[in-house]
């Protein structure tokens, strides 16, 4: 991915789509997927939200984005969920651990106002 000219090529888009379809999201693939997605073009819009719906995959993504710049996290969330606002809405509807993980992703994108109040 480091060799791809993101402004003039789109091979990274097709590669990422094929990689996701073949291997899915798991502990062994999440790092490669995040790297690939960071290099995809702005026009890349695969239907991959369902690949990231499980608590496990959300947790794996969260581990990958911790410590990254908020704009990098925002870009990934845009590709997966259509933006931070859409993810925040999904977090508000979710329950339990999934809600907490989604909220942490929103916060990693720099949107601290979406922080949920936990009981207690």
């Amino acid at each position: 991915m480091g060799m791809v000219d993101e402004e003039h090529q789109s091979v990274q888009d097709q590669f990422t789509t094929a990689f996701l379809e073949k291997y899915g999201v798991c502990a062994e693939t999440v790092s490669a997927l995040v790297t690939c997605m960071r290099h995809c073009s702005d026009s890349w819009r695969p239907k991959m939200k369902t690949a990231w719906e499980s608590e496990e995959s959300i947790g794996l993504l969260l581990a990958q984005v911790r410590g990254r710049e908020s704009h990098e996290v925002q870009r990934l969330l845009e590709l997966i969920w259509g933006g931070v606002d859409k993810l925040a809405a999904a977090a508000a509807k979710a329950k339990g651990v999934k809600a907490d993980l989604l909220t942490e992703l929103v916060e990693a994108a720099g949107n601290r106002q979406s922080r949920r109040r936990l009981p207690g």
Side-chain angles (χ1 to χ4, degrees):
M1 287 299 152
M3 296 173 59
V4 173
D5 179 354
E6 295 153 2
E7 293 180 21
H8 299 99
Q9 296 175 324
S10 63
V11 68
Q12 69 276 20
D13 296 351
Q14 289 87 16
F15 176 84
T16 304
T17 300
F19 185 88
L20 180 62
E21 288 172 356
K22 182 166 178 114
Y23 298 107
V25 178
C26 64
E28 293 81 18
T29 62
V30 71
S31 179
L33 278 169
V34 167
T35 299
C36 290
M37 289 172 17
R38 289 180 56 228
H39 290 7
C40 285
S41 68
D42 289 338
S43 62
W44 184 66
R45 292 287 183 255
K47 295 183 186 281
M48 66 173 181
K49 185 174 141 185
T50 56
W52 297 95
E53 286 185 343
S54 74
E55 287 178 12
E56 178 185 6
S57 61
I58 296 166
L60 292 168
L61 179 61
L62 185 57
Q64 289 292 312
V65 302
R66 283 192 177 116
R68 291 193 187 270
E69 295 288 328
S70 62
H71 68 90
E72 290 180 283
V73 178
Q74 290 169 10
R75 170 97 166 99
L76 292 169
L77 300 182
E78 173 72 30
L79 292 172
I80 298 169
W81 281 280
V84 177
D85 292 340
K86 289 182 180 180
L87 179 60
K93 292 177 185 176
K95 299 193 183 318
V97 173
K98 185 173 183 177
D100 295 338
L101 292 169
L102 292 173
T103 300
E104 284 188 61
L105 278 175
V106 171
E107 291 172 355
N111 189 349
R112 305 286 185 222
Q113 295 136 344
S114 297
R115 182 172 213 134
R116 292 171 29 137
R117 290 193 174 168
L118 298 177

